[in-house]
Amino acid sequence: MKKNIAIIMGGFSSEYKISLKSGNVVYQTLDTNKYNAYRVHILPEKWVYVDKNDQEFPIDKNDFSVTINDEKITFDCVFNAIHGSPGEDGYMQAYFNLLKMPHTSCDMYQASITFNKRDCLSILKPYGIKTAESFYINLGDTVDEDAIVNKVGLPCFVKANKAGSSFGITKVYKKEDLQNAIDFAFKEDDEIIIESFLGGTEVSVGVISYKGKTKVLPITEIVPNNDFFDYKAKYLGQSQEITPARISDEDAEKVNTIAKKVYEILKMKGFSRSEYIFKDGEPHLLEVNTVPGLTKESILPQQAEKAGISLSDLFDNAITEALTA
């Protein structure tokens, strides 16, 4: 009997349009001989199943079901394609855990920790994971520009602490530009992380659970056409993403080992993609994404393809692992 799979997409953040693209790729790719796929839009104003004619049916949040033509449909598993809140920060994971409904992403605690860049880096530092120098500001704090520059130097990156797809990020070269960058980041989140600039090769490493084992995918080198790997570089083709990365075997082994270590320290499940910059020959962790992009332009699908894993197999494995966990 075919399994009913709800593909959740959308979300409450600036990433919702990208999430809708990811979710539709999953919808178009899942094996129709094995699965009945249902697109479910999770948006601030509504939770709805969207059929092939774009007709909407409300989701019953009591048990995450939908009624279509007087027939109640329940789901065997949820495929999580929501980038940002509430799919990547633990809220949906907690909801599905309460309903005892299998889902393809990591657990609630892991999602919450990794979505908070400051907390994630703090947890990993004692394990020897190298990171940039950082300075934290919360909304309402007095901004001491001299203290920031003394701690992280210039240039530096001002980032929203809990936002993905490079929303709310600015590279700052001059002290007098800090305040504007901080104001920009506060549009995305009420917490900010300011990090020192790391000059070196940037790589992205996909780590997934595949057939019951942790698997590190081929490394991607990020070469932005812009000043850094921003939204336009990620999604509008303004970067080169080279897989496998043009780094030495020694450097590849270093970053593979660290990426796997991070995945296992955090007790991750499902997909992950972590970003690193090499400084003085050592990979420095920038962040961990637990619901990485799944569009045709996205890095993780590119890496899986290089590893000989088709999109269909990648998604099928995620569902199989969720159902057998």
Side-chain angles (χ1 to χ4, degrees):
M1 186 178 291
K2 291 189 196 180
K3 301 287 188 184
N4 289 341
I5 308 299
I7 306 163
I8 59 171
M9 59 188 87
F12 304 163
S13 74
S14 300
E15 297 182 83
Y16 79 95
K17 289 183 180 178
I18 304 157
S19 172
L20 292 175
K21 286 185 178 180
S22 288
N24 278 300
V25 169
V26 177
Y27 176 71
Q28 294 156 10
T29 304
L30 284 185
D31 185 348
T32 54
N33 293 316
K34 293 179 69 173
Y35 305 116
N36 297 313
Y38 295 81
R39 295 181 298 171
V40 177
H41 290 191
I42 306 291
L43 301 168
E45 68 277 10
K46 60 187 176 182
W47 291 23
V48 290
Y49 157 60
V50 182
D51 71 9
K52 62 183 178 182
N53 299 315
D54 290 333
Q55 186 175 354
E56 297 181 353
F57 300 83
I59 293 291
D60 184 343
K61 296 180 185 177
N62 292 296
D63 58 1
F64 200 70
S65 65
V66 63
T67 299
I68 304 169
N69 300 327
D70 296 326
E71 180 188 358
K72 180 175 178 175
I73 294 172
T74 58
F75 301 105
D76 298 293
C77 182
V78 175
F79 196 108
N80 184 6
I82 297 178
H83 314 311
S85 187
E88 202 166 4
D89 55 5
Y91 286 99
M92 295 307 296
Q93 289 86 345
Y95 169 70
F96 292 125
N97 287 348
L98 288 171
L99 293 179
K100 295 183 168 53
M101 185 171 290
H103 57 87
T104 58
S105 49
C106 61
D107 290 333
M108 172 195 71
Y109 178 74
Q110 282 71 21
S112 178
I113 287 297
T114 51
F115 195 67
N116 187 311
K117 297 180 184 72
R118 296 179 350 184
D119 288 357
C120 185
L121 297 175
S122 296
I123 285 172
L124 292 169
K125 276 183 182 179
Y127 290 90
I129 306 300
K130 293 180 170 59
T131 64
E133 285 288 340
S134 56
F135 190 101
Y136 302 160
I137 303 177
N138 294 331
L139 188 63
D141 288 353
T142 300
V143 176
D144 187 336
E145 294 172 353
D146 290 326
I148 293 168
V149 173
N150 288 338
K151 181 77 183 294
V152 302
L154 289 170
C156 64
F157 284 99
V158 178
K159 304 178 181 180
N161 186 41
K162 301 186 292 292
S165 297
S166 297
F167 286 109
I169 183 171
T170 306
K171 188 175 181 181
V172 176
Y173 289 89
K174 297 183 290 185
K175 185 172 74 171
E176 51 267 34
D177 293 334
L178 272 170
Q179 188 62 59
N180 284 340
I182 289 166
D183 293 341
F184 180 60
F186 276 138
K187 291 179 182 178
E188 292 292 331
D189 189 24
D190 59 3
E191 297 175 350
I192 286 178
I193 180 170
I194 303 176
E195 293 182 324
S196 60
F197 170 70
L198 299 173
T201 301
E202 181 172 353
V203 296
S204 183
V205 188
V207 185
I208 63 175
S209 180
Y210 187 71
K211 297 185 177 178
K213 295 183 179 178
T214 302
K215 182 175 182 64
V216 182
L217 298 173
I219 303 164
T220 299
E221 180 183 352
I222 307 296
V223 186
N225 299 343
N226 306 329
D227 200 15
F228 63 95
F229 195 45
D230 61 3
Y231 177 88
K232 291 179 180 178
K234 282 185 179 180
Y235 296 106
L236 302 181
Q238 297 182 15
S239 69
Q240 297 177 63
E241 295 161 6
I242 302 164
T243 311
R246 301 169 301 179
I247 57 177
S248 67
D249 290 345
E250 180 185 359
D251 283 348
E253 180 62 29
K254 277 183 188 176
V255 76
N256 278 347
T257 299
I258 290 170
K260 184 178 181 184
K261 183 178 179 182
V262 165
Y263 190 92
E264 293 178 342
I265 287 169
L266 295 174
K267 299 182 179 177
M268 292 290 299
K269 293 178 184 174
F271 302 148
S272 79
R273 199 192 72 234
S274 46
E275 321 296 337
Y276 300 85
I277 289 181
F278 280 89
K279 181 187 178 187
D280 301 326
E282 296 296 329
H284 286 58
L285 175 66
L286 299 179
E287 63 179 10
V288 179
N289 302 282
T290 60
V291 187
L294 300 171
T295 67
K296 299 291 195 298
E297 301 83 21
S298 300
I299 292 170
L300 190 84
Q302 294 178 35
Q303 295 175 337
E305 183 183 4
K306 291 290 184 182
I309 303 170
S310 68
L311 267 187
S312 180
D313 186 21
L314 184 71
F315 299 157
D316 180 74
N317 176 77
I319 293 169
T320 300
E321 295 220 338
L323 289 170
T324 55

